[in-house]
Amino acid sequence: PVVNLAHRLESMTKLLRAPILLDEAAAAVVRQRMPTSEGRLRKLARVLPFGLETPVVVSELLPPAHEYAELTDAQITQFEAGVEHFTAGRWEDAFRCLHDMPATDRAQDFLLHHIMQSARSAPTGWDGIVRLPNK
């Protein structure tokens, strides 16, 4: 199961437009042990990878602020607020948070695509999980 999840995370990097993805357990360890001077994390989405039965909260490992000034800590906080709005079904609020990200930050595209496909309204019965159609 661990290898299967690692494979799914690796394959999601293209879809989520983030080079390094972590599941919730790995992200928790990184948050506890890695100082922000070495790297930062941001939550991207709650997804159900193809072939798995349990949803995964996916986070991105980012360089520290001094190495990646294009994305500030305040913008990471705003992005994560957008993820929370998205998960909770408040897609208009999510759109506002995510739309303000720098154009060079492509991770926003994944959620914005879902939001725009549904005219900024969560579908009926929305449970906060993006189901991925393939590996």
Side-chain angles (χ1 to χ4, degrees):
V2 173
V3 172
N4 194 17
L5 177 58
H7 181 296
R8 295 296 194 275
L9 289 169
E10 189 278 329
S11 66
M12 278 189 267
T13 60
K14 294 172 193 76
L15 182 64
L16 295 175
R17 298 177 183 245
I20 302 173
L21 297 177
L22 305 172
D23 70 345
E24 201 166 8
V29 171
V30 169
R31 279 190 177 91
Q32 286 179 339
R33 297 185 182 172
M34 182 170 35
T36 56
S37 61
E38 292 181 22
R40 302 174 292 165
L41 286 174
R42 72 169 160 178
K43 187 187 316 182
L44 295 180
R46 187 168 182 226
V47 300
L48 181 62
F50 181 82
L52 299 183
E53 295 179 10
T54 306
V56 178
V57 175
V58 180
S59 294
E60 175 184 20
L61 181 61
L62 294 163
H66 68 273
E67 290 180 20
Y68 189 57
E70 295 86 14
L71 194 61
T72 66
D73 289 341
Q75 289 168 321
I76 291 171
T77 299
Q78 182 177 343
F79 186 99
E80 289 185 329
V83 172
E84 293 302 319
H85 289 308
F86 179 84
T87 302
R90 297 183 302 270
W91 285 17
E92 187 66 43
D93 294 332
F95 178 82
R96 277 192 227 99
C97 289
L98 298 170
H99 195 261
D100 286 340
M101 292 297 106
T104 56
D105 178 38
R106 302 300 302 272
Q108 65 183 311
D109 296 350
F110 176 73
L111 295 180
L112 286 174
H113 174 76
H114 288 284
I115 292 168
M116 297 308 292
Q117 277 188 320
S118 295
R120 299 187 193 177
S121 295
T124 303
W126 173 247
D127 62 1
I129 301 168
V130 177
R131 286 158 178 79
L132 302 180
N134 49 38
K135 290 183 182 181

